[in-house]
Amino acid sequence: MSVDMNSQGSDSNEDYDPNCEEEEEEEEEDEPGDIEDYYVGVANDVEQQGADSFDPEEYLFTCLTYRESESALNEQMASLASLVKVSHSVAKLILVHFHWQVSEILERHKLNSPQLLVDARVQPLSFKHVMAHSSHHCAVCMQFVRKENLLCLPCQHPFCRSCWEQHCTVLVKDGAGVGISCMAQECLLRAPEDFVFPLLPNEELKDKYKRYLFRDYVESHYQLQLCPGADCPMVIQVQEPKARRVQCNRCSEVFCFRCRQMYHAPTDCATIRKWLTKCADDSETANYISAHTKDDVLLEKASRQLYSQRADCLLLCPKCNICIEKNGGCNHMQCSKCKHDFCWMCLGDWKTHGSEYYECSRYKENPDIVNQSQQAQAREALKKYLFYFERWENHNKSLQLEAQTYQQIQEKIQERVMNNLGTWIDWQYLQNAAKLLAKCRYTLQYTYPYAYYMESGPRKKLFEYQQAQLEAEIENLSWKVERADSYDRGDLENQMHIAEQRRRTLLKDFHDT
């Protein structure tokens, strides 16, 4: 599986020192062939046609530095502390518990202020059941200590300073921030930061604790997300949290705001996580093999070998059987020997794909499979999974090949400019066409996990229809981009417009909001 959602960067900013001065980095020019910014600079080319310019992916967000986000957090904390009449450190714990939903906190405070503190785990449920400890024994080490060396939270569970220090030190070394709580069994009261800081023995641990606190504050905030880019200290801020595409302006990491993983529209966060897990453990293949005879297993191995060849971009022409290597992203193939046009995925005649492409991208369910044997159901389950996985993986491979086409286009533009055959602006539409193609194909790739988990019915039929329409226009655009010299600018830009409108229509109707 070539798409790994967990390989996009560090899950935390542990290596970032919030006390260091932030340095402005020089902007780096995109390397030739880099197509990661395909969302940038193509809007004018597709919207100048005068059609509906509504973009379902439009999403306002702000990239904050460490100091900017810390300032915003402290401002909210100070305001709440003043309104609720608690210390700053307790106000932070309340905000974390309620995900920084200030309006909800104030409403709860108005209705029942003591219960608010109990729910936030900063005050015990009741003081009536807290025993007054006349002895000066620590409940952890059982040593007799002076009264001034016994420390406790509002729950009044006393422990010696030495045990508290060890408790806090171990937890901070394990990465705890706001998660440090009372040592008493079944006591869930959280320790505020002004209680913990004096118990940490050195500056190194205190610095770690500051970072972990900041991480917990941001991760608990419904409007903030840490950038998942490796060692990136930036924080993304939004007004309304949604599963939308955001991009860090420091490291250029692109991710879904809600789950901090690779952007995956139209598939929702839970579904794409389930899909990638299925692809990683290949559970469907195991189920299939366990339910089949030896002959079926041999047949499956042969099928796997054929798919492996397809993944390596090698197939036999269905008409003359010559070996064909796929060197571009377009699935419209033309044999160099017999000139036969066919579809890379289904090997069918391309002439039928003007009206029948819907059949190529749609999996035909067997309505009677529930009444058949367990072996037949296992066979059908794997058949369905492979259908969607092959298309998912094929579009991912096409993206890689089209990135090479993008690089070739850049080189061709540079050559023409050097030979005084126009300016860069004159030929930029070719580059924008390749970028838009990648944008559309990326969306198309993620329609297949979405379709795999959809229940049969009218809505799925509508989705499959729009998916097929998008796929047909993407292949038309891919064909023209790879043969750009054979098409005039107007024809290419018109195809760009059609493909992007198909993409937007599908996302408008099916993108999770």
Side-chain angles (χ1 to χ4, degrees):
M1 186 65 199
S2 59
V3 178
D4 182 359
M5 293 176 71
N6 295 321
S7 66
Q8 297 304 302
S10 171
D11 287 336
S12 72
N13 291 17
E14 181 174 338
D15 296 331
Y16 174 65
D17 183 0
N19 296 317
C20 70
E21 292 294 328
E22 295 173 39
E23 300 179 357
E24 293 187 4
E25 298 183 353
E26 296 182 1
E27 294 185 1
E28 297 181 359
E29 296 183 359
D30 292 337
E31 296 181 1
D34 181 11
I35 202 167
E36 294 179 355
D37 61 344
Y38 51 74
Y39 267 76
V40 180
V42 298
N44 291 337
D45 291 298
V46 297
E47 291 178 2
Q48 65 186 3
Q49 308 293 329
D52 180 16
S53 60
F54 170 74
D55 185 355
E57 291 181 304
E58 184 176 351
Y59 192 50
L60 298 178
F61 61 90
T62 306
C63 296
L64 304 177
T65 64
Y66 169 81
R67 287 184 176 83
E68 289 171 338
S69 52
E70 184 183 45
S71 176
L73 292 170
N74 285 336
E75 184 178 342
Q76 285 187 278
M77 174 270 299
S79 175
L80 183 72
S82 175
L83 292 170
V84 182
K85 308 301 181 185
V86 295
S87 67
H88 285 188
S89 57
V90 169
K92 288 180 180 178
L93 291 179
I94 296 173
L95 286 163
V96 167
H97 182 80
F98 291 102
H99 303 289
W100 300 75
Q101 298 270 12
V102 177
S103 58
E104 179 185 350
I105 294 172
L106 294 179
E107 183 65 26
R108 285 173 173 263
H109 176 68
K110 182 179 179 181
L111 294 174
N112 191 336
S113 56
Q115 188 62 42
L116 170 72
L117 302 179
V118 171
D119 291 343
R121 294 164 55 183
V122 295
Q123 288 288 357
L125 180 60
S126 173
F127 289 99
K128 295 179 180 179
H129 303 293
V130 177
M131 299 295 294
H133 291 266
S134 58
S135 67
H136 295 163
H137 283 85
C138 171
V140 173
C141 65
M142 302 306 294
Q143 297 294 315
F144 180 85
V145 294
R146 293 181 178 181
K147 184 177 181 179
E148 59 268 24
N149 286 331
L150 283 174
L151 303 176
C152 62
L153 296 173
C155 57
Q156 302 300 315
H157 294 128
F159 303 97
C160 71
R161 185 179 186 87
S162 176
C163 287
W164 270 114
E165 288 177 351
Q166 292 182 46
H167 177 66
C168 293
T169 297
V170 169
L171 288 179
V172 171
K173 286 183 177 179
D174 286 343
V178 298
I180 297 177
S181 59
C182 177
M183 289 185 283
Q185 189 174 9
E186 298 181 359
C187 182
L188 300 177
L189 242 62
R190 284 177 167 167
E193 60 183 56
D194 58 0
F195 179 87
V196 176
F197 268 115
L199 299 173
L200 298 176
N202 55 60
E203 291 301 317
E204 181 183 357
L205 272 180
K206 289 180 180 179
D207 287 341
K208 279 190 174 184
Y209 183 53
K210 287 179 184 178
R211 294 201 299 271
Y212 298 147
L213 284 174
F214 177 74
R215 173 204 63 198
D216 291 346
Y217 295 153
V218 172
E219 290 183 348
S220 65
H221 202 300
Y222 75 107
Q223 293 176 314
L224 301 178
Q225 282 286 17
L226 290 165
C227 174
D231 302 324
C232 184
M234 300 299 286
V235 174
I236 310 299
Q237 181 184 45
V238 301
Q239 288 300 311
E240 185 179 0
K242 291 183 178 182
R244 290 292 186 271
R245 181 186 188 274
V246 295
Q247 183 171 18
C248 176
N249 63 7
R250 183 179 187 270
C251 70
S252 299
E253 186 77 7
V254 175
F255 58 99
C256 167
F257 178 82
R258 181 167 289 169
C259 67
R260 292 178 68 239
Q261 304 294 349
M262 288 179 66
Y263 183 57
H264 45 74
T267 307
D268 62 86
C269 302
T271 300
I272 195 60
R273 190 179 300 113
K274 185 163 56 174
W275 168 259
L276 292 177
T277 300
K278 177 183 286 292
C279 293
D281 62 22
D282 209 12
S283 57
E284 293 292 340
T285 302
N287 292 338
Y288 177 84
I289 293 176
S290 66
H292 284 70
T293 64
K294 182 177 179 180
D295 289 342
D296 287 327
V297 173
L298 292 175
L299 182 61
E300 169 62 15
K301 287 182 178 179
S303 175
R304 279 293 189 180
Q305 184 177 5
L306 177 61
Y307 174 73
S308 177
Q309 291 175 341
R310 178 176 297 184
D312 291 336
C313 297
L314 293 174
L315 273 183
L316 299 180
C317 171
K319 188 172 183 180
C320 68
N321 291 325
I322 189 176
C323 185
I324 294 178
E325 180 180 9
K326 190 171 188 276
N327 57 8
C330 184
N331 288 308
H332 176 182
M333 307 300 298
Q334 185 179 69
C335 178
S336 59
K337 181 181 179 181
C338 68
K339 304 302 179 181
H340 175 57
D341 291 272
F342 65 97
C343 172
W344 177 264
M345 283 308 305
C346 70
L347 304 182
D349 194 319
W350 190 261
K351 293 178 182 178
T352 66
H353 281 59
S355 59
E356 299 297 328
Y357 202 85
Y358 173 60
E359 298 299 318
C360 179
S361 61
R362 180 176 69 90
Y363 181 74
K364 298 178 181 178
E365 302 271 2
N366 182 354
D368 297 326
I369 192 63
V370 293
N371 300 320
Q372 297 183 18
S373 67
Q374 185 177 358
Q375 287 185 350
Q377 291 181 24
R379 184 195 298 267
E380 180 67 18
L382 179 65
K383 182 181 176 183
K384 177 181 177 180
Y385 166 69
L386 287 179
F387 178 91
Y388 287 103
F389 176 77
E390 285 182 4
R391 282 152 181 77
W392 152 272
E393 184 69 4
N394 174 63
H395 288 301
N396 182 60
K397 188 67 176 179
S398 290
L399 277 169
Q400 298 174 31
L401 293 172
E402 284 164 350
Q404 297 174 17
T405 302
Y406 177 76
Q407 182 175 352
Q408 294 167 5
I409 287 174
Q410 286 185 308
E411 293 171 351
K412 185 178 295 186
I413 293 175
Q414 187 65 34
E415 181 181 347
R416 290 176 178 178
V417 172
M418 293 295 291
N419 292 328
N420 296 319
L421 298 176
T423 66
W424 183 270
I425 295 177
D426 293 330
W427 300 107
Q428 192 174 17
Y429 76 94
L430 296 174
Q431 176 182 272
N432 288 343
K435 290 167 70 174
L436 181 74
L437 173 60
K439 180 181 180 181
C440 291
R441 194 177 292 283
Y442 187 86
T443 298
L444 180 60
Q445 179 187 358
Y446 282 89
T447 64
Y448 281 97
Y450 189 96
Y452 176 77
Y453 288 103
M454 281 190 84
E455 294 184 2
S456 299
R459 184 164 174 79
K460 184 171 184 178
K461 288 183 179 179
L462 175 62
F463 177 81
E464 289 176 331
Y465 172 77
Q466 293 190 10
Q467 179 192 45
Q469 295 294 306
L470 173 61
E471 190 151 5
E473 299 304 340
I474 286 175
E475 297 307 336
N476 289 338
L477 178 59
S478 182
W479 178 270
K480 292 178 179 179
V481 167
E482 291 178 8
R483 297 160 180 81
D485 291 337
S486 302
Y487 297 91
D488 60 37
R489 177 171 181 169
D491 192 9
L492 189 57
E493 287 184 340
N494 183 60
Q495 187 61 48
M496 291 170 62
H497 172 74
I498 295 172
E500 175 64 0
Q501 289 304 314
R502 295 290 190 194
R503 192 185 76 89
R504 291 187 181 188
T505 298
L506 185 145
L507 291 178
K508 182 174 64 176
D509 292 342
F510 294 97
H511 191 10
D512 177 36
T513 57

